[in-house]
Amino acid sequence: MAQKSHRLLLACSALSASLLIGGAPAQAAEQHNDADVGELISIPAGEAPATTYARVVQRAAEIHARTAADKKCTGVWKHSVANVDWDRTPAGTVRWNFKLTARSRAKLGPAVTVSMPNAWVNNHAINAPYGPHPRASTYNFHGSMKKYNRKGSSAKHTIRTKDKITFYWLIKSHSNPRAGATRYITCQVPPKGSG
C-alpha cells in the first residue's frame, strides 16, 4: 500500500511540475492529436443548449487555429467516438460517412442528433455543410461539400486540392440530455478521384 501511495504521489508531483512550467504530461501529449480528436462530454444539468453550443464551438475554433492539415482527407479516420470515412469524387466533391462507435452508442443511447456547429476552409469560418440530423445512433451520418460560403458572405467558393478543412461534429443523446460527444477533423483536401 505504501508503494502505491508513493507512486501516486510521484505521478501527481510530475503532473504539477509539468503544468507549472507550462508543459503537458507526456502521456496526455501522446493521446492528443488535434488533427483527429473527439471526446464524450457531460452537459451540466440545466445548461441551456446555447451555452453548450458556445462552449464547444469555442473549443473547436481553438483546435482549428493550432492544427496543421498534414494528413489528407481520405480513407477511414478511426476514433473511439466515431469513425469517419472520406473520399473525393472525380468531379471534386468531398464526401464523408460518419459512424458512431459501439462505445459511443452505449454511452449515448439508441437515438442521437448529429450536427456540425462549425466548419472552416483555409482558416475561414464557413456556413457548415451539415444541418442537425436526429437519427438512430446506428445511422450512417453522411454528407458532402463542393461549394461553400464563408460566414457573413454570399460569395460561392469551390473546394480545391490542398485546401485545409476542419469539420466539427456535435452529437447529443435523446435519452440522456446530459450526454454528448464531439468529433473534430482537420485535413487537406486530396486530388480529385481520391478515396
Side-chain angles (χ1 to χ4, degrees):
M1 184 70 163
Q3 261 186 339
K4 197 177 205 180
S5 295
H6 180 70
R7 282 196 305 262
L8 181 59
L9 180 60
L10 285 175
C12 290
S13 297
L15 174 61
S16 297
S18 176
L19 292 174
L20 284 173
I21 61 173
Q27 184 177 16
E30 289 172 359
Q31 295 173 352
H32 190 65
N33 173 3
D34 282 346
D36 185 17
V37 297
E39 58 196 345
L40 293 171
I41 61 172
S42 293
I43 300 166
E47 181 176 77
T51 304
T52 303
Y53 178 85
R55 181 167 40 88
V56 295
V57 166
Q58 178 181 344
R59 177 157 159 69
E62 291 166 358
I63 289 173
H64 172 76
R66 69 175 179 243
T67 306
D70 55 2
K71 186 175 172 186
K72 291 191 177 13
C73 311
T74 59
V76 179
W77 291 47
K78 292 188 176 187
H79 189 274
S80 61
V81 169
N83 298 322
V84 181
D85 190 1
W86 297 91
D87 73 358
R88 188 167 185 219
T89 68
T93 301
V94 173
R95 299 185 301 190
W96 64 89
N97 291 300
F98 179 96
K99 295 181 184 176
L100 294 173
T101 63
R103 176 180 178 240
S104 291
R105 292 191 310 269
K107 175 78 173 171
L108 300 171
V112 297
T113 295
V114 173
S115 62
M116 187 182 288
N118 233 334
W120 293 264
V121 176
N122 295 329
N123 300 316
H124 296 282
I126 67 167
N127 294 322
Y130 193 78
H133 281 65
R135 301 281 190 275
S137 59
T138 54
Y139 183 75
N140 176 13
F141 298 91
H142 57 280
S144 64
M145 181 174 72
K146 183 174 182 180
K147 303 269 186 198
Y148 64 93
N149 297 89
R150 292 178 181 167
K151 285 194 175 177
S153 170
S154 60
K156 290 271 187 205
H157 298 270
T158 302
I159 285 290
R160 299 188 189 288
T161 301
K162 297 188 180 180
D163 279 351
K164 172 187 176 181
I165 62 173
T166 297
F167 285 166
Y168 160 66
W169 292 272
L170 174 63
I171 306 104
K172 293 178 82 177
S173 169
H174 289 193
S175 58
N176 181 356
R178 297 185 61 199
T182 60
R183 185 78 167 90
Y184 314 78
I185 292 183
T186 297
C187 54
Q188 185 182 102
V189 174
K192 293 178 182 179
S194 299

